[in-house]
Amino acid sequence: MFTRTHAQTVCESILDEDRRYNAEHNILKSQVALVEQLFARGSELVDAYDEIHAKLGTYPRALRVFFMVLLDTAMEWNPQKNLQARAGRETLIKVNKQIADTAETLAMLLRRRDALHNTSGFGSETHYHVAEVLALAGEGSGRFSGCLADPLEKLRATFDLKYWPTLEAMMDVVAADAAAAKVIAT
């Protein structure tokens, strides 16, 4: 048989207060279950409670916040969610790679089409001005139409095509951005 240390009593009273509140309000049932598991394994946690209390016991609010964060973290990070998060991360890395590759290919194709327009004696009446593409892409957005469409058209009319980036240059930027993307946890 073991005797509860002062540290364990203090830590478990904080946990029990949250457990009772959640149970009474019928909320955070998984946290209630987790706290009950912690109580069931109390004899295994004596050293952990002693260490936590030694570090934070003189700061009661810090001790409460620690346990709140611990429970929240335990609820958000479990083996199944970890597997899903890792799979999502790997998918995001692959998608960024596909975007980089596709944007590079599109930039190359846009350059090739531009060269053909200039040398083949044929044109295809396709978009070539970035402002035109922006205006058409923004047509479905009330905010774009109401706030940006007119100033953009004035800029387009004011500055010749040589002042604007090409569509292929924009694709180069998209490709470089996706290729250099660092996937981080949010």
Side-chain angles (χ1 to χ4, degrees), residues 23-64:
E24 288 170 9
H25 291 87
N26 200 27
I27 58 172
L28 301 173
K29 293 177 184 179
S30 52
Q31 274 194 13
V32 170
L34 176 60
V35 171
E36 289 171 356
Q37 287 175 356
L38 292 174
F39 289 165
R41 300 180 76 171
S43 61
E44 299 170 44
L45 296 171
V46 172
D47 291 339
Y49 289 138
D50 284 342
E51 187 175 339
I52 293 164
H53 190 266
K55 302 279 186 199
L56 302 174
T58 56
Y59 308 100
R61 178 155 168 68
L63 199 54
R64 288 186 182 285

Side-chain angles (χ1 to χ4, degrees), residues 107-158:
M108 180 191 68
L109 290 170
L110 288 166
R111 283 185 184 88
R112 186 171 175 202
R113 182 178 68 186
D114 189 48
L116 289 168
H117 283 167
N118 292 328
T119 61
S120 71
F122 292 93
S124 56
E125 297 184 15
T126 53
H127 300 301
Y128 61 91
H129 198 294
V130 67
E132 179 183 17
V133 174
L134 282 171
L136 289 170
E139 280 182 350
S141 167
R143 290 183 179 173
F144 179 88
S145 298
C147 298
L148 295 176
D150 287 341
L152 179 63
E153 185 53 38
K154 288 177 185 170
L155 276 174
R156 182 178 176 205
T158 302

Side-chain angles (χ1 to χ4, degrees), residues 64-80:
R64 288 186 182 285
V65 168
F66 171 82
F67 283 111
M68 179 183 73
V69 170
L70 175 72
L71 293 175
D72 287 346
T73 301
M75 292 301 92
E76 287 302 314
W77 291 98
N78 60 51
Q80 183 179 4

Side-chain angles (χ1 to χ4, degrees), residues 96 99-100 103-104 107 111 165-181:
N96 277 333
I99 289 170
E104 285 176 9
R111 283 185 184 88
T166 62
L167 293 176
E168 52 270 25
M170 291 184 66
M171 288 303 104
D172 287 333
V173 170
V174 170
D177 178 61

